[in-house]
């Protein structure tokens, strides 16, 4: 009975909290909007994976012709013979069967060169490029072709035959190195999580810094001192960022240690046969690293500012927690969801990335890959403008009486 | 005595239309202890928060030592020492650290050290000064906050319910402190209370506030005579009745 009363009181306190009600409205709104973005992304990935594939048969041998024919069968008739890579805009990928393919296939691992246009790709679909997804089909077509060439053997005889891929990504007529692309995107995806988590930590700390001070009844005493309130707000933000960086360092250090332990045991596991992944470049240029740091700084500044605004407007710790928890989930959600949303590279995407900050590392990676930072600069400018707006708001809140009374949504009783 | 605090036609309407202070005007002379008395919700705390520049008036103004709370809030803050209702302190700090932090906002170097010593002496917390504030009783926290407010040597001391929730011993300690500092430093004190007895013993003049309006004001003895009352509580009840508020 006592527990029921306690539970009833706790549930009532949460449910009747305006912050909780606002969060209930905002979360569906956010995820429904995200859903429509995802839909676009999924459509583009589906198009890439079910699109028509052009094949340039430079080898033009019995084996290469058989390979193309079997590839067409394997891919349900999606293969078209083309004369050159210049026809790429009409295809999701063009596969070049180079001279010597046939002789290589008989002696070792033959190589194919694939060209995929970057313009049709989403921010994150590079990791699942059509050529990589087609690897199985290439291998299977090669085995059938080899078996057909020597009529006395079966396909099982060539079960170890695989095709090596030389993947090229084409952007505005330029051919990009896949290793570089892959490294950049890996860095971008990892950095997205780092930025999102740092932002979540910072917002939590900044909100609590004000809310706890109010609960301790020391806030009014501080506000009545002859000190500029801008400094009070800034001190909370900077302290929150420092705390978030320390917490983030511990978190990511621990994760790294955990992954390191896992990698030691994975060395004992045999590699999956039949798939040959292209080598990746290990070098990330200094510009990208610097811009990533700028993004992280902007993200923490933004979330710190937002935290101070929320902390300044709420009247107690409970409301602060109720508002900040879903917001941090939204930030982490953004970081996770953006990996799958397939946002295209355009001005709108750049502005949205800038305003939410978490997806900016992916945008940066793509910018680094194509060697054109224009879209990243658009995101950077959007983010910077938002940070300035949030700080103006934060200082306004701290200079207003709302910081003392709390935001009175229903008036004062 | 010249004027230290001048409250002019002060009005405060909260969001939602609640009128907390409604055309309040009074003056506190320099070196005077002025008591604002009234029941809960009468507008005492709102008035003191406006004087302490925490709230902005909807209309009207308050001059503290000649500075406007509306136009010169920073100058006002450097003139006052403020003790909020239910004043607390940072739970993670020791009493000493709290005093040092609050005073370091205004003072530096040797002067800071002297003010810290003074605050420690005022608080009379003994060895507890090195203990975390989370171990303090409500009374200890209140005295700690008051010691900071006094150690800055304010021209005007603004105290919101200074003895609320304190036991008799601590209440007497606080009242003695206020009196002693007024005599020693010549500071102006404006305090709120709904403890009529306390106000009667401590204040030079009293303003009775009800529903945001000042319904009676003057020296305690004169008010008692004017309302033919034996104590301030009776003065309050008769003033409410007479003014038909």
């Amino acid at each position: 009975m006592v527990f029921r009363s306690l539970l009833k009181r706790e549930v009532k306190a949460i449910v009747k909290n305006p912050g909780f009600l606002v969060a209930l409205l905002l979360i569906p709104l956010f995820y429904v909007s995200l859903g429509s973005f995802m839909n676009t992304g999924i459509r583009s990935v589906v198009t890439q994976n079910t699109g028509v594939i052009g094949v340039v048969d430079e080898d033009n041998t019995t084996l290469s012709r058989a390979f193309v024919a079997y590839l067409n069968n394997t891919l349900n008739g999606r293969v078209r013979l083309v004369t050159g890579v210049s026809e790429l805009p009409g295809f999701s990928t063009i596969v070049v069967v180079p001279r010597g393919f046939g002789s290589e296939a008989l002696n070792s691992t033959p190589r194919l060169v694939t060209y995929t246009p970057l313009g049709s790709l989403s921010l994150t679909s590079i990791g699942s490029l059509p050529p990589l997804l087609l690897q199985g089909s290439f291998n299977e077509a090669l085995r059938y072709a080899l078996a057909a060439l020597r009529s006395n053997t079966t396909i099982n005889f060539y079960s170890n035959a695989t095709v090596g891929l030389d993947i090229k990504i084409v952007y505005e007529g330029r051919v990009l190195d896949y290793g570089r692309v892959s490294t950049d995107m890996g860095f971008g995806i990892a950095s997205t999580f780092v930025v999102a988590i740092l932002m979540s930590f910072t917002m939590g700390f900044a909100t609590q810094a004000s809310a706890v001070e109010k609960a301790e009844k020391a806030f009014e005493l501080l506000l009545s001192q002859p000190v500029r309130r801008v400094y009070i707000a800034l001190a909370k933000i900077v302290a929150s960022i420092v705390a978030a960086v320390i917490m983030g360092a511990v978190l990511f250090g621990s994760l790294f240690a955990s992954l390191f332990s896992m990698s030691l045991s994975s060395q004992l596991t045999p590699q999956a046969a039949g798939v040959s992944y292209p080598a990746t470049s290990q070098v990330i240029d200094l510009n990208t690293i610097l811009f990533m740091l700028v993004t992280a700084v902007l993200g923490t500044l933004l979330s710190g500012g937002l935290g101070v605004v929320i902390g300044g407007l709420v009247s107690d710790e409970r409301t602060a927690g109720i508002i900040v928890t879903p917001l941090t989930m939204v930030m982490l959600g953004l970081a996770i969801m953006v990996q799958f949303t397939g946002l295209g590279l355009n001005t709108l995407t750049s502005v949205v990335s800038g305003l939410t900050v978490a997806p900016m590392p992916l945008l940066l990676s793509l910018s680094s890959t194509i060697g054109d930072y224009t879209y990243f600069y658009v995101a950077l400018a959007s983010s910077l403008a938002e940070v300035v707006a949030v700080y103006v708001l934060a200082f306004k809140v701290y200079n207003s009486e709302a910081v003392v009374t709390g935001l009175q949504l229903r008036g004062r009783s | 005595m010249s004027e230290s605090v001048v409250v002019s036609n002060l009005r405060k309407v909260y969001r939602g239309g609640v009128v907390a202070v409604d055309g309040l005007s009074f003056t506190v002379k320099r070196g005077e202890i002025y008591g604002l008395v009234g029941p809960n919700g009468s507008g005492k705390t709102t008035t003191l928060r406006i004087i302490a520049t925490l709230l902005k008036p909807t209309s009207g103004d308050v001059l503290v030592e000649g500075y406007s709370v509306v136009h010169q809030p920073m100058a006002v803050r450097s003139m006052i020492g403020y003790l909020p209702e239910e004043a607390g302190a940072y739970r993670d700090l020791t009493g000493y650290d709290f005093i040092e932090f609050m005073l370091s906002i205004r003072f530096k170097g040797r002067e800071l050290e002297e003010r810290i010593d003074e605050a420690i002496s005022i608080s009379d917390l003994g060895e507890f000064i090195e203990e975390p504030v989370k171990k303090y009783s409500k009374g200890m926290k209140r005295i700690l906050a008051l010691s900071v407010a006094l150690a800055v040597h304010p021209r005007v001391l603004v105290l919101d319910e200074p003895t609320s929730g304190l036991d008799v011993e601590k209440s007497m300690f606080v009242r003695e402190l206020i009196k002693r500092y007024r005599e020693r430093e010549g500071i102006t004190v404006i305090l709120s209370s709904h403890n009529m007895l306390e106000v009667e013993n401590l204040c030079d003049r009293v303003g009775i506030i009800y529903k945001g309006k000042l319904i009676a004001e003057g020296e305690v003895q004169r008010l008692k005579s004017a309302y033919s009352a034996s104590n301030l509580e009776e003065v309050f009840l008769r003033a409410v009745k007479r003014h038909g508020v």
Side-chain angles (χ1 to χ4, degrees):
Chain A
M1 195 63 193
V2 174
F3 176 72
R4 192 188 293 174
S5 300
L6 288 169
L7 186 63
K8 200 173 161 186
R9 181 261 172 285
E10 292 298 334
V11 171
K12 256 185 164 178
I14 293 171
V15 171
K16 289 179 79 177
N17 192 312
F20 179 75
L21 298 175
V22 170
L24 281 185
L25 287 174
L26 283 181
I27 290 176
L29 199 68
F30 169 74
Y31 280 104
V32 167
S33 311
L34 204 60
S36 63
F37 269 121
M38 282 180 73
N39 189 32
T40 315
I42 288 164
R43 276 168 197 265
S44 85
V45 171
V46 167
T47 306
Q48 286 159 23
N49 294 337
T50 58
V52 179
I53 294 157
V55 174
V56 182
D57 186 3
E58 289 179 350
D59 194 36
N60 199 21
T61 57
T62 311
L63 183 72
S64 69
R65 285 194 296 275
F67 170 77
V68 174
Y70 280 114
L71 185 64
N72 190 37
N73 282 343
T74 310
L75 296 174
N76 299 321
R78 288 195 286 129
V79 172
R80 303 280 181 276
L81 275 172
V82 295
T83 54
V85 181
S86 57
E87 293 183 48
L88 182 60
F91 297 89
S92 65
T93 296
I94 282 187
V95 180
V96 175
V97 183
R99 283 190 180 84
F101 176 84
S103 55
E104 271 184 12
L106 295 170
N107 301 313
S108 59
T109 302
R111 299 197 71 78
L112 293 172
V113 185
T114 64
Y115 292 85
T116 305
L118 186 63
S120 66
L121 293 173
S122 67
L123 283 181
T124 53
S125 61
I126 289 172
S128 54
L129 276 171
L132 285 175
L133 297 175
L134 293 171
Q135 175 87 59
S137 300
F138 291 146
N139 292 343
E140 196 176 336
L142 177 66
R143 288 164 198 163
Y144 274 112
L146 285 169
L149 199 68
R150 294 177 177 171
S151 53
N152 59 340
T153 55
T154 64
I155 185 172
N156 293 335
F157 185 76
Y158 298 103
S159 59
N160 288 329
T162 56
V163 173
L165 293 183
D166 185 2
I167 298 173
K168 307 283 185 191
I169 292 166
V170 182
Y171 176 73
E172 292 184 347
R174 287 185 292 127
V175 176
L176 309 172
D177 171 49
Y178 176 75
R180 168 74 187 277
V181 173
S182 179
T183 304
D184 280 347
M185 294 314 293
F187 180 62
I189 289 170
S191 302
T192 295
F193 280 104
V194 173
V195 170
I197 287 172
L198 284 181
M199 285 175 71
S200 302
F201 284 161
T202 308
M203 184 184 275
F205 289 140
T207 307
Q208 289 301 316
S210 303
V212 168
E213 206 167 23
K214 287 180 183 180
E216 289 173 330
K217 310 283 183 194
F219 202 45
E220 285 193 32
L221 206 58
L222 180 63
L223 293 176
S224 69
Q225 301 300 316
V227 59
R228 286 168 65 93
R229 291 184 181 177
V230 168
Y231 295 150
I232 298 175
L234 276 178
K236 289 183 191 307
I237 293 167
V238 173
S240 303
I241 292 173
V242 170
V245 168
I246 293 170
M247 184 78 92
V250 170
L251 174 71
F252 291 112
S254 309
L255 277 175
F256 181 77
S258 163
L259 289 173
F260 183 71
S261 311
M262 282 167 64
S263 70
L264 285 177
S265 56
S266 72
Q267 285 172 2
L268 305 171
T269 311
Q271 292 289 316
V275 180
S276 56
Y277 290 98
T280 55
S281 156
Q282 298 300 312
V283 181
I284 297 159
D285 68 56
L286 190 62
N287 261 357
T288 308
I289 293 172
L290 286 176
F291 277 135
M292 199 64 78
L293 286 175
V294 170
T295 304
V297 169
L298 275 175
T300 50
L301 282 175
L302 176 67
S303 55
L306 284 171
V308 158
V309 170
I310 295 167
L313 290 176
V314 298
S315 49
D316 55 81
E317 287 168 289
R318 186 191 288 265
T319 311
I322 284 172
I323 293 176
V324 165
T325 305
L327 274 178
T328 52
M329 283 176 66
V330 164
M331 274 177 192
L332 287 173
L334 260 177
I336 296 165
M337 299 301 262
V338 78
Q339 318 285 338
F340 307 104
T341 50
L343 295 172
L345 186 64
N346 54 48
T347 308
L348 178 65
T349 309
S350 309
V351 172
V352 171
S353 298
L355 294 178
T356 50
V357 186
M360 272 177 72
L362 276 170
L363 189 65
L364 172 61
S365 295
L366 200 55
S367 300
S368 165
T369 298
I370 63 177
D372 179 358
Y373 287 84
T374 309
Y375 286 117
F376 179 70
Y377 291 147
V378 171
L380 208 58
S382 312
S383 183
L384 204 57
E386 189 185 20
V387 167
V388 170
V390 165
Y391 275 67
V392 168
L393 179 65
F395 299 151
K396 208 170 163 56
V397 165
Y398 260 67
N399 276 317
S400 76
E401 62 183 41
V403 79
V404 177
T405 59
L407 189 63
Q408 293 164 14
L409 296 175
R410 289 172 298 188
R412 188 184 170 91
S413 56
Chain B
M1 274 197 231
S2 54
E3 293 162 342
S4 177
V5 179
V6 180
V7 178
S8 308
N9 206 21
L10 200 65
R11 185 174 161 81
K12 178 65 187 177
V13 183
Y14 284 108
R15 196 181 297 232
V18 176
V19 181
V21 179
D22 192 7
L24 195 64
S25 296
F26 64 88
T27 300
V28 183
K29 293 168 191 165
R30 192 161 289 137
E32 185 178 39
I33 300 180
Y34 186 93
L36 268 180
V37 296
N40 291 334
S42 59
K44 303 186 299 290
T45 295
T46 299
T47 305
L48 295 189
R49 279 175 158 185
I50 291 172
I51 295 170
T53 74
L54 296 174
L55 300 181
K56 292 186 173 99
T58 307
S59 62
D61 202 351
V62 180
L63 295 181
V64 177
E65 294 293 328
Y67 295 108
S68 160
V69 296
V70 178
H71 305 294
Q72 298 153 295
M74 281 294 276
V76 171
R77 284 173 206 154
S78 64
M79 292 286 138
I80 64 167
Y82 174 59
L83 181 72
E85 192 180 9
E86 292 183 43
Y90 302 107
R91 286 181 292 219
D92 55 321
L93 298 184
T94 64
Y96 179 90
D97 291 339
F98 177 73
I99 288 172
E100 185 183 38
F101 165 67
M102 294 304 285
L103 292 175
S104 67
I105 292 171
R106 299 187 194 224
F107 306 106
K108 285 180 191 167
R110 188 165 180 79
E111 193 177 9
L112 173 62
E113 287 172 21
E114 286 171 4
R115 300 299 174 114
I116 291 171
D117 288 343
E118 186 178 346
I120 292 170
S121 166
I122 295 167
S123 69
D124 199 24
L125 285 167
E127 290 175 357
F128 270 101
I129 203 74
E130 295 293 347
E131 294 287 329
V133 169
K134 62 186 169 198
K135 291 186 177 176
Y136 286 20
S137 67
K138 184 180 178 181
M140 289 162 82
K141 279 192 257 187
R142 199 142 183 83
I143 288 168
L144 185 69
L146 181 62
S147 70
V148 170
L150 287 170
V152 300
H153 294 186
R155 301 271 285 276
V156 178
L157 189 60
V158 182
L159 307 172
D160 194 357
E161 305 277 3
T163 59
S164 168
L166 301 190
D167 60 33
V168 175
E169 199 180 343
K170 292 236 167 30
S171 294
M172 285 173 65
F173 179 80
V174 168
R175 281 196 287 271
E176 283 308 310
L177 262 180
I178 295 167
K179 274 186 183 171
R180 198 190 328 150
Y181 261 76
R182 191 271 294 268
E183 280 160 24
R184 204 178 85 181
E185 305 286 337
I187 59 175
T188 306
V189 181
I190 176 164
L191 60 87
S192 75
S193 179
H194 45 235
N195 182 342
M196 305 283 183
L197 190 64
E198 173 178 276
V199 172
E200 207 170 326
N201 292 329
L202 187 62
C203 298
D204 302 313
R205 282 196 308 138
V206 174
I208 297 175
I209 186 170
Y210 185 69
K211 292 187 177 175
K213 292 177 189 292
L214 194 68
I215 57 172
E217 188 191 35
E219 290 172 15
V220 175
Q221 287 307 322
R222 288 193 181 181
L223 280 173
K224 283 200 266 189
S225 301
Y227 285 89
S228 306
S230 59
N231 57 45
L232 213 49
E233 284 177 354
E234 282 182 18
V235 171
F236 169 72
L237 292 172
R238 286 173 189 175
V240 169
K241 199 172 177 182
R242 183 182 294 183
H243 287 82
V245 184

